[in-house]
Structures are given as structure tokens and as C-alpha cells.
């Protein structure tokens, strides 16, 4: 069995900060409601000149720097995103050109907030089976451009940013022990962008008037409960597959959807909140990018150090969910 490892991490957050108090100025909401219901205080907003690939480029360059590899060393580039620069070509193709990864094949993965785990799973398998040698796995989003700023129950959740890792077969460094991914298409109508695809005329005056191009959350409190269960199942699955228990895990890096979801997950797993790495207060929900951003931050500030057992987990639209266990 090959030993596949993460040899570098990187992330990028746009400089502009939008606080809950800023949102109070144009929406019927309050810092108090947002913080107590979600754990979010502020989020980052991409500059209007930036596209998703611009955010991803910086994150990917930081990951390659940390790994000590050059763009020409990369032969696989997978981008997880639901906010690509364009739907055709794929966001990853733009990113490949910007990074000048001349020897890489690039493609996108769409798995909403679980996208990074899905991309990591595919890259890990492609290296294991010998198709590729060095992969850049990137997740990036500009969520604040696809939310409806008039829908207060949803727009307050999201932010922008990107994260990346370089993975390869290696005898040293963090070892990917497992990845598990799951979907339930029957739950697809709870977190979705109804317009912009072949189901409707992609863009029409009517679709724009109805706001079909915006991200929608239908009965978000129902997906809240599903999220708690799926996060917990994914964590249990990862540790069980490797002969561990949740108590053996040193750091859990979950997708940051809502602080209360993570508290529910911790309760279900009977694990202390101190084990759960949190970025939600300062960045909000950056869909696929929250996991690699939190991972990079935890690596750089020393929360994740050599020999630590690290559990990544995510849940999102699709429905999609998954996990990955890593021995750092
Ligand atoms: O990343 C993918 C996974 N993410 C999810 O699955 C999202 C999961 N869901 C959630 O995080 C939460 O359901 C939300 C944060 C979206 C909403 O929190 P909630 O505790 O479920 O609130 P709610 O929708 O049940 O609304 C409670 C009340 C309502 O008022 P009434 O009907 O009780 O009078 C809403 O109108 O809060 C009101 N409300 C707001 N008030 C102030 C909803 N949004 C806001 C707001 N500011 N922004």
C-alpha cells in the first residue's frame, strides 16, 4: 500500500472584512442574532477585481512554497468550487493557466461544502493507482457574489477565501490514512442554486427577477439536524476504518457551517469542543474552502504538529458529506 501524504498547505483570505455591524446597516438583522444563532462575527469579501481563481492562485502558491515544489512539478490540479470563474471552461483550467502548471491536468469537483474532501479523495486515489505523482488540491469560493443580500436567513452566513494542499507519495510528513465520501441526491432541494443550469433557461429576465441565480437554503433548520448527524457519522466512520476511537483524535477540522452544528456534533461524538478547530467567528462559511483554510491555519500556528491525529469532516449541499483521517 502506497503512503500518500500532505507535504504542504496554504490559504488566502481577502483583506476586506465585513462585520455583522456592517450588515445591520442594510438588512433587518443584528450582530446579536447572527452571533448567537451562528457563531459568526465577520467574514471576508473578495475585491471586485478578484475572481475565484485569483484567491486560489495565492493559496496554491503558498501550499507549493511550503511543500518546496514548483508549478512544473504538479501533474494533477483539482479545484473544488461552486463559484468557478466561469462554468465553461472549468475554474481549474483558469487556475492552471494562472499558476503556469504546464504539466498538470486540471478539472473541477462540485460537491458544495464537502468539495475539498471529495477532491482530496479523488487525488489520493489517482496517486495511489499510479496515474499521477504530485497533486495540488485546491478549494476556493467567492460565496458573497452568489448570495441574495436580501435574504437575511442565508446571506449572513457566507464569506470568501481559498485553501490548498500538495499531496504526493512520500515516506515522511502527514499521512492520509483514509478518505470517505457520501451523497444523498434526494436531499438536493434544500441547499441549491435553482437557476443557471439546463433545468431553466440559464439566464433570462424572469430568472433574474425571481433570483434563481442566487444560492437558496430551503428549511435550513432541517438541514441543520441532518448536518449534525452526517458530520458525526463521517467522523465515526473515519476512526473506525483505521482502528481508532474518537478519543484518539487530537484535532477535528470540520467544515464551518454554524457553531451550533459543531456543538451538536461534539455532543453526539462525546468529545470536548476544545478538540474542534474553529474559524467560523472570523470567516463565516466559505463552503468548500473552510476545511483547507482551517487546516492551513492550524498547521501554521502549531495546533497541528508532528504525530497528531487529525480528522477532517464536511457536510454540504447535494447532499454531500465525508471525512479524512490524517496522521501528521
Ligand atoms: O454549509 C452547509 C451546511 N449548512 C447548513 O446546513 C445550514 C444549516 N442551518 C443553519 O445554520 C441555521 O438553520 C440558520 C443559521 C440558517 C438559521 O438559524 P435557525 O436557528 O434555524 O433560525 P430559523 O431559520 O429557525 O429562524 C428563527 C427566527 C425566525 O423568526 P420567527 O419566525 O421565529 O419570528 C426568522 O425569521 O429568526 C429569524 N431570522 C432572523 N432574524 C434576524 C432568520 N434570519 C435572521 C437574521 N436576523 N439574519
Amino acid at each position: 500500500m502506497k503512503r500518500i501524504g500532505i507535504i504542504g498547505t496554504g490559504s488566502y483570505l481577502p483583506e476586506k472584512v465585513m462585520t455583522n455591524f456592517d450588515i445591520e446597516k442594510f438588512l433587518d438583522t443584528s450582530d446579536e442574532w447572527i452571533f448567537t444563532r451562528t457563531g459568526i462575527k465577520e467574514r471576508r469579501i473578495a475585491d471586485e477585481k478578484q475572481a475565484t481563481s485569483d484567491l486560489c492562485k495565492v493559496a496554491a502558491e503558498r501550499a507549493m512554497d511550503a511543500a518546496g515544489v514548483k508549478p512544473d512539478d504538479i501533474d494533477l490540479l483539482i479545484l473544488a468550487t461552486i463559484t468557478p470563474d466561469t462554468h465553461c471552461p472549468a475554474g481549474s483550467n483558469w487556475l492552471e493557466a494562472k499558476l503556469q502548471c504546464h504539466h498538470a491536468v486540471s478539472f473541477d469537483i462540485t460537491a458544495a461544502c464537502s468539495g475539498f474532501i471529495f477532491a482530496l479523495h479523488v487525488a489520493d486515489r489517482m496517486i495511489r493507482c499510479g496515474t499521477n505523482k504530485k497533486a495540488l488540491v485546491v478549494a476556493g469560493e467567492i460565496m458573497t457574489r452568489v448570495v441574495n443580500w436580501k435574504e437575511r436567513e442565508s446571506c449572513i452566513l457566507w464569506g470568501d477565501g481559498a485553501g490548498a494542499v500538495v499531496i504526493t507519495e512520500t515516506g515522511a510528513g502527514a499521512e492520509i490514512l483514509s478518505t470517505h465520501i457520501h451523497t444523498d441526491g434526494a436531499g438536493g432541494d434544500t441547499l441549491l442554486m435553482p437557476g443557471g443550469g439546463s433545468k431553466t433557461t440559464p439566464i433570462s429576465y424572469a430568472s433574474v427577477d425571481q433570483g434563481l441565480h442566487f444560492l437558496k437554503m430551503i428549511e435550513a433548520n432541517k438541514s441543520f439536524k441532518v448536518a449534525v448527524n452526517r458530520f458525526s457519522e463521517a467522523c465515526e466512520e473515519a476512526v473506525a476504518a483505521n482502528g481508532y476511537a474518537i478519543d484518539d483524535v487530537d484535532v477535528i477540522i470540520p467544515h464551518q457551517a454554524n457553531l451550533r452544528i459543531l456543538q451538536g456534533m461534539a455532543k453526539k461524538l462525546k468529545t470536548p469542543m476544545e478538540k474542534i478547530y474553529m474559524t467560523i467567528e472570523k470567516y463565516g462559511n466559505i463552503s468548500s474552502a473552510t476545511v483547507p483554510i482551517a487546516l492551513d491555519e492550524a498547521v501554521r500556528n502549531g495546533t497541528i504538529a508532528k504525530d497528531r491525529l487529525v480528522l477532517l469532516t464536511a457536510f454540504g449541499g447535494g447532499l454531500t458529506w465525508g471525512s479524512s483521517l490524517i496522521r501528521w
Side-chain angles (χ1 to χ4, degrees):
M1 185 83 154
K2 282 184 181 170
R3 186 185 186 283
I4 312 296
I6 295 178
I7 58 167
T9 66
S11 61
Y12 171 75
L13 279 309
E15 275 169 34
K16 187 176 169 192
V17 174
M18 182 189 271
T19 66
N20 293 344
F21 296 108
D22 295 328
I23 298 180
E24 274 183 6
K25 289 179 194 147
F26 63 86
L27 200 67
D28 179 17
T29 187
S30 65
D31 171 64
E32 203 260 329
W33 189 95
I34 300 172
F35 186 60
T36 52
R37 306 309 288 173
T38 71
I40 300 168
K41 277 268 173 205
E42 56 189 48
R43 69 285 294 138
R44 299 300 179 92
I45 310 281
D47 185 89
E48 61 184 25
K49 293 195 190 79
Q50 290 176 311
T52 295
S53 64
D54 297 310
L55 276 50
C56 293
K57 177 174 182 276
V58 185
E61 285 171 345
R62 289 177 179 166
M64 285 191 288
D65 270 356
V69 303
K70 300 265 170 266
D72 274 345
D73 300 328
I74 301 295
D75 62 4
L76 175 64
L77 166 55
I78 308 184
L79 172 62
T81 187
I82 51 170
T83 53
D85 297 20
T86 57
H87 285 287
C88 181
S92 53
N93 303 147
W94 296 115
L95 180 60
E96 177 198 314
K98 284 184 182 170
L99 288 170
Q100 300 194 38
C101 288
H102 301 296
H103 305 305
V105 61
S106 62
F107 57 89
D108 284 13
I109 282 195
T110 305
C113 303
S114 313
F116 177 75
I117 307 266
F118 276 58
L120 189 67
H121 176 88
V122 173
D124 173 83
R125 297 303 187 280
M126 287 177 77
I127 294 174
R128 269 181 213 286
C129 75
T131 321
N132 297 85
K133 289 198 162 16
K134 235 171 223 105
L136 193 47
V137 182
V138 188
E141 309 282 4
I142 301 189
M143 295 304 293
T144 60
R145 273 185 209 149
V146 297
V147 298
N148 186 343
W149 284 103
K150 290 181 181 147
E151 271 184 22
R152 66 176 185 168
E153 56 284 359
S154 144
C155 71
I156 47 100
L157 295 170
W158 308 95
D160 306 333
V165 298
V166 179
I167 74 168
T168 190
E169 186 176 359
T170 173
E175 181 183 4
I176 301 172
L177 301 174
S178 63
T179 56
H180 289 92
I181 56 172
H182 299 279
T183 58
D184 173 12
D189 55 0
T190 53
L191 273 165
L192 75 162
M193 275 185 221
S198 62
K199 188 179 173 187
T200 53
T201 310
I203 300 170
S204 65
Y205 290 111
S207 72
V208 172
D209 285 347
Q210 292 167 49
L212 297 183
H213 53 295
F214 290 128
L215 185 79
K216 282 214 175 312
M217 295 178 80
I218 317 284
E219 298 182 321
N221 46 7
K222 278 195 191 153
S223 58
F224 185 104
K225 287 177 199 140
V226 179
V228 172
N229 290 331
R230 296 306 192 198
F231 270 122
S232 310
E233 285 164 23
C235 290
E236 298 280 14
E237 181 176 34
V239 290
N242 292 285
Y244 289 113
I246 291 291
D247 281 351
D248 298 318
V249 174
D250 296 300
V251 187
I252 301 178
I253 309 250
H255 166 57
Q256 316 271 318
N258 185 320
L259 172 63
R260 291 185 300 128
I261 291 179
L262 301 181
Q263 288 167 335
M265 175 188 87
K267 197 169 162 203
K268 231 175 157 55
L269 293 174
K270 297 190 178 64
T271 203
M273 278 305 282
E274 292 69 44
K275 258 192 200 181
I276 300 178
Y277 195 82
M278 307 289 293
T279 57
I280 188 152
E281 185 171 332
K282 51 190 183 179
Y283 304 144
N285 182 343
I286 316 179
S287 193
S288 67
T290 60
V291 170
I293 289 171
L295 178 66
D296 180 49
E297 195 176 283
V299 168
R300 287 175 193 262
N301 68 20
T303 306
I304 294 177
K306 191 165 162 34
D307 292 331
R308 292 267 161 98
L309 195 57
V310 179
L311 177 52
L312 313 183
T313 183
F315 166 83
L319 300 172
T320 56
W321 65 100
S323 57
S324 176
L325 193 68
I326 302 163
R327 174 67 72 185
W328 216 263

